[in-house]
Amino acid sequence: MTINLTDKKILLIEDNPFMRRSICSMLYTLDIEHVVEANNAGKALAAIRKRSFDVILADYNLGDGKNSLQLLEEIRTQNLLPFKTVFIIISGEQTPQMVLGAMDVKPDEYLAKPFNAHQLSIRLKRNLLLKQLFYPINQAISDNNFAQAIHHCDRLLSQNKQHHLILLRKRAELALAIDDLKKAEEIYLQILQRRELPWARLGLGIIAFRAGRTEQAIDIFNKILQKTPLFMECYDWLSQIYQHIGQTEKAEHILLKAVELSPNAILRQKKLGTTAYQNQHLEHAENAFKQVIKLGKNSIHKNSEDFAALAKTHNDNNKTHEALNVLNALRNEFRHDSEAEIRALLVESEVHLHRKAPKQADDSLNKALDLSQSIEKSLPKKLLLELSKTCFLHKKESLGMEILRPLIKNHIDDESFIAEIQHMQKQLDLKGFSDNLIKQTKKELIDLNNRGVALFDQGKIEEALNLFEDAFERMPHNHTILLNIIKIQLFKLKTENNQQNYQKIQTQLRLAQELGIPQQKIGQLQIEINRLQPKHEKYAD
Amino acid sequence: MPTKNHFPTLLASTIHDIKNSLSVVLQLTRIFSSKYKNDPDLTQLEFETHRINNSLMQLLVMYKIDHNKFQADIDEHPVCDILADVRAQHILLLEGRHISLSIQCKADLLFCDNTLVCNALSTLLNNAQRYSRSSIFLSAYPDGDFTCLAIEDDGEGYPAAMLENDPNDLNKLDWISGNTGLGLHFVSTIAALHENKGRQGYIKIDNDSQLGGARFRLFLP
């Protein structure tokens, strides 16, 4: 594969006019004609929305407003970055992650200045070549066709020696995505035999975690951090695992360490805030949430939730005045945003309760309830939980229960959310208000499952399908039911050979992803479905 | 918060600023160079700008290493790509000074921190340019459990006093008179950051250059 630069479309983002001109002239010496220039992130975003580019070349600092990492984060989150596009950040340092600290998002390359046209040409070609190499794999992944992605990856592995390691890494990630832990482990061990690489070791830790070997995973992650204490991703995994086994103090400690090393990663700061709040370390939580709000200024991750969390923490920490100030800021930043207003009203209600002003507290809650009734789209589950909680605080038990009941029914197999509900119940000393409902709903789900499986075993396929489809209409967020529907559809696809079913099942798979069912739970199903794909739709190699 | 904690950020953002200025200076130099047909004074200016840039880079990396804020980012890279990178960085300058650079790559893939190794070789190539007459030879080849990256020139060679000491022994570096003080210190530090199965990277200097001048070798496990 050789790369021809002349037909490539480039977006150059640089706020310094002299530098912009000089990079432009470099690009012209490389015979690149399609260059679009932008002097800030806003203009760049407009250009990116309008057309696609082969390369986005952005200086790190872009004056006021977003920097180029924040721009990258935004276009990635909004799916505006095609996987053929190379994103290069021009910076003073070649590996600035420590100082910039935003590990949530990584460009394809950091290009250190000053550089000349020769260097630029080499970097452009190298990155474009990689994108081209990975194109079929990434295309298949975005089509949800993991069988095809693995097929392409294996094919490239057998042909390409120069990029062997990076292909192996991808292959291991694909194995993890379809929950093929054995294959992933085999690859990581194979790599580690050649060289002790932290990311391959991390892979083994993730596998141990997934396989339920918690102690082993913790041990692996700790050993990696002893040797490479700046490997930020490893802190995230370690804290996640501590969180998972209920050792929230340890989870907080690990996050705190990570944040000290790399203070600018907004999502990690947010996790720290939530965990510290959970542990009732209010000062720590305050600091973290303040940081989140500061970092969110130009970020796609700016969220009214964080303002509400800070206000709540202040209130719990007897800082009424500060809490109200934060709520003012929230309303200023999120004008005409009903969801944000509901959040503000709920915290406001708590603040009024705290300062023994029940009348005002009641007012705020009622406003929140009215507003939540008036908006069309359904509110996020966590906000609904807050709403219900505030009702309980005001001794409006039946209203609280009315909100809580569908939440439990709908999210019964979302373990961490159910745990949150139980946590709230304990906090408010609700004496098993929701426990019974949770128990009962779980039982109903098991019964439903058993009935469905029994019907299926008796060969009453359509009846089983109807049973689950009816149930899913009542509980449109339920993971277990949807997975059962997909499994039955898959069976039908195998036996009936009706090609229309193929499209149907693909839609359901996408729905499963939208509902947040973990990739490893659907990966195997995807592979089976891919194998049954109508012949004419398969890609040529 | 004490200023101490701000210093790394301050340092990095200052370096970013200085590099912006250096980029502009370099670009202006090139504009003048094409106007005044490679005036030797302008070539010297470009050379010095590169030197400032290299020194800045080294300072920052050394500072971070000293404060445990640095970690090599090891991955597998084609050695030829590394040599091509280094060449690209220096090609304009070498042409201006009428020094020929030949490259021989007999090694295949190498586990290393690409950025660091490029910086190291770049620093050394900069030195070599200063002391060579007309040609420099850059090569890479496997050497037992190591890969060797070598830079040879046709200058006077290293002074005898420098060759007496082990360049990997930082205590023995001649800080006061050493022109290459920071450079060699930097490169040997970088070499040592590369480790594999108990073996550590190191450097060697001698005057056994095929071209008759100094020879520098970087061995990476």
Side-chain angles (χ1 to χ4, degrees), chain B residues 46-220:
Chain B
E46 185 170 349
F47 174 79
E48 297 301 337
T49 316
H50 272 290
R51 242 171 76 89
I52 297 172
N53 181 46
N54 275 329
S55 302
L56 270 178
M57 214 58 233
Q58 291 163 25
L59 265 183
L60 185 61
V61 172
M62 297 306 285
Y63 173 84
K64 285 188 182 172
I65 291 174
D66 265 10
H67 289 74
N68 296 323
K69 285 184 181 299
F70 192 85
Q71 185 167 289
D73 178 17
I74 307 287
D75 221 324
E76 196 172 41
H77 302 279
V79 182
C80 299
D81 280 3
I82 295 173
L83 299 188
D85 256 355
V86 177
R87 181 180 175 276
Q89 195 179 338
H90 290 266
I91 188 71
L92 295 172
L93 200 53
L94 289 163
E95 277 168 8
R97 301 188 127 208
H98 305 290
I99 295 172
S100 73
L101 172 69
S102 48
I103 290 186
Q104 189 181 57
C105 183
K106 287 185 179 166
D108 189 9
L109 294 164
L110 172 65
F111 277 103
C112 68
D113 183 320
N114 189 14
T115 310
L116 279 186
V117 171
C118 282
N119 277 343
L121 291 179
S122 209
T123 302
L124 292 159
L125 198 59
N126 227 45
N127 283 339
Q129 276 178 63
R130 216 138 63 109
Y131 299 111
S132 75
R133 294 194 182 87
S134 65
S135 54
I136 297 174
F137 180 53
L138 179 59
S139 65
Y141 50 89
D143 185 303
D145 291 326
F146 290 81
T147 297
C148 176
L149 298 153
I151 297 179
E152 301 169 53
D153 67 37
D154 60 354
E156 295 288 319
Y158 290 107
M162 255 183 93
L163 295 176
E164 276 169 24
N165 293 329
D166 177 0
N168 296 290
D169 185 351
L170 303 180
N171 298 323
K172 295 215 175 115
L173 274 181
D174 181 358
W175 290 104
I176 299 158
S177 68
N179 285 321
T180 45
L182 179 61
L184 278 188
H185 176 54
F186 174 71
V187 181
S188 84
T189 307
I190 282 181
L193 286 176
H194 289 79
E195 246 183 352
N196 184 28
K197 304 196 170 93
R199 280 181 289 270
Q200 211 172 28
Y202 60 95
I203 63 175
K204 268 188 183 172
I205 55 172
D206 55 38
N207 288 333
D208 300 334
S209 160
Q210 295 176 33
L211 304 173
R215 175 171 72 164
F216 169 91
R217 285 177 295 166
L218 169 63
F219 293 88
L220 296 177

Side-chain angles (χ1 to χ4, degrees), chain A residues 267-540:
Chain A
L267 296 180
R268 192 178 297 125
Q269 284 280 7
K270 186 168 175 158
K271 228 181 258 169
L272 174 62
T274 321
T275 315
Y277 184 76
Q278 199 181 355
N279 292 334
Q280 287 298 299
H281 296 155
L282 299 179
E283 301 285 334
H284 286 164
E286 279 172 349
N287 285 336
F289 286 129
K290 273 184 202 161
Q291 216 38 45
V292 175
I293 289 172
K294 202 168 126 198
L295 292 169
K297 189 170 167 260
N298 290 310
S299 163
I300 182 83
H301 297 300
K302 175 176 171 178
N303 196 328
S304 59
E305 207 175 53
D306 304 322
F307 287 77
L310 178 60
K312 225 168 124 74
T313 316
H314 279 323
N315 184 48
D316 288 8
N317 208 9
N318 300 317
K319 297 179 182 168
T320 313
H321 185 65
E322 279 93 335
L324 290 173
N325 277 345
V326 174
L327 290 181
N328 276 339
L330 187 163
R331 286 178 163 129
N332 261 328
E333 297 281 335
F334 299 87
R335 288 171 197 276
H336 314 297
D337 178 338
S338 326
E339 223 177 275
E341 180 58 24
I342 294 173
R343 280 187 221 286
L345 285 165
L346 288 178
V347 181
E348 197 173 73
S349 171
E350 277 195 47
V351 174
H352 289 316
L353 268 188
H354 193 83
R355 50 182 275 261
K356 310 251 179 316
K359 170 92 185 47
Q360 280 157 299
D362 220 37
D363 274 356
S364 300
L365 173 61
N366 285 333
K367 277 188 205 161
L369 285 166
D370 287 348
L371 194 54
S372 74
Q373 295 290 321
S374 73
I375 50 177
E376 285 281 309
K377 73 178 187 125
S378 65
L379 294 171
K381 59 185 176 190
K382 289 198 178 182
L383 184 53
L384 284 170
L385 183 59
E386 279 300 314
L387 196 59
S388 150
K389 182 179 163 183
T390 316
C391 289
F392 281 114
L393 276 176
H394 285 263
K395 308 281 174 230
K396 299 183 176 190
E397 276 93 3
S398 62
L399 204 52
M401 224 33 216
E402 203 178 297
I403 300 167
L404 197 56
R405 196 169 292 122
L407 269 182
I408 291 177
K409 285 230 164 194
N410 232 327
H411 299 282
I412 191 68
D413 47 9
D414 184 340
E415 277 175 36
S416 66
F417 187 61
I418 293 294
E420 261 179 67
I421 295 179
Q422 282 165 331
H423 181 70
M424 165 190 106
Q425 176 175 287
K426 224 165 84 188
Q427 249 184 329
L428 298 182
D429 202 16
L430 289 180
K431 305 243 170 16
F433 242 113
S434 54
D435 266 353
N436 286 336
L437 187 60
I438 290 173
K439 238 185 257 165
Q440 191 193 335
T441 312
K442 273 193 178 155
K443 192 173 167 299
E444 274 172 32
L445 188 66
I446 293 170
D447 286 348
L448 176 81
N449 224 6
N450 289 343
R451 260 187 299 150
V453 172
L455 284 171
F456 185 85
D457 286 344
Q458 291 159 25
K460 297 175 179 162
I461 310 298
E462 291 300 325
E463 280 173 56
L465 187 59
N466 283 340
L467 181 76
F468 285 125
E469 279 178 346
D470 280 352
F472 193 59
E473 249 173 61
R474 275 178 283 126
M475 297 179 254
H477 291 271
N478 192 289
H479 297 183
T480 320
I481 299 174
L482 180 58
L483 283 176
N484 277 328
I485 294 175
I486 294 176
K487 280 178 199 161
I488 297 178
Q489 292 283 16
L490 178 63
F491 176 82
K492 283 181 61 175
L493 196 63
K494 275 184 196 160
T495 48
E496 292 172 11
N497 205 10
N498 179 351
Q499 300 218 338
Q500 268 175 352
N501 285 340
Y502 183 77
Q503 292 309 325
K504 209 167 166 187
I505 202 166
Q506 284 291 3
T507 315
Q508 282 161 342
L509 269 177
R510 263 189 290 277
L511 182 61
Q513 284 170 322
E514 278 160 25
L515 288 184
I517 300 182
Q519 173 59 41
Q520 66 261 31
K521 278 196 181 167
I522 41 180
Q524 272 305 330
L525 288 169
Q526 275 172 324
I527 290 276
E528 278 191 61
I529 293 159
N530 294 156
R531 291 209 185 96
L532 300 169
Q533 188 178 14
K535 282 279 177 293
H536 65 272
E537 276 189 18
K538 285 202 178 172
Y539 299 92

Side-chain angles (χ1 to χ4, degrees), chain A residues 24-79:
Chain A
C24 250
S25 71
M26 278 187 212
L27 292 170
Y28 291 131
T29 56
L30 300 175
D31 290 328
I32 296 172
E33 283 174 14
H34 307 275
V35 181
V36 174
E37 296 173 47
N39 63 358
N40 62 42
K43 285 184 187 153
L45 201 57
I48 293 165
R49 282 184 201 281
K50 233 196 284 180
R51 61 189 296 187
S52 78
F53 293 94
D54 298 293
V55 179
I56 299 175
L57 194 58
D59 192 63
Y60 174 70
N61 286 317
L62 297 172
D64 297 335
K66 287 182 204 304
N67 62 39
S68 58
L69 264 181
Q70 290 171 322
L71 173 70
L72 173 61
E73 197 157 37
E74 177 152 351
I75 60 179
R76 236 181 229 163
T77 314
Q78 300 192 353
N79 271 327

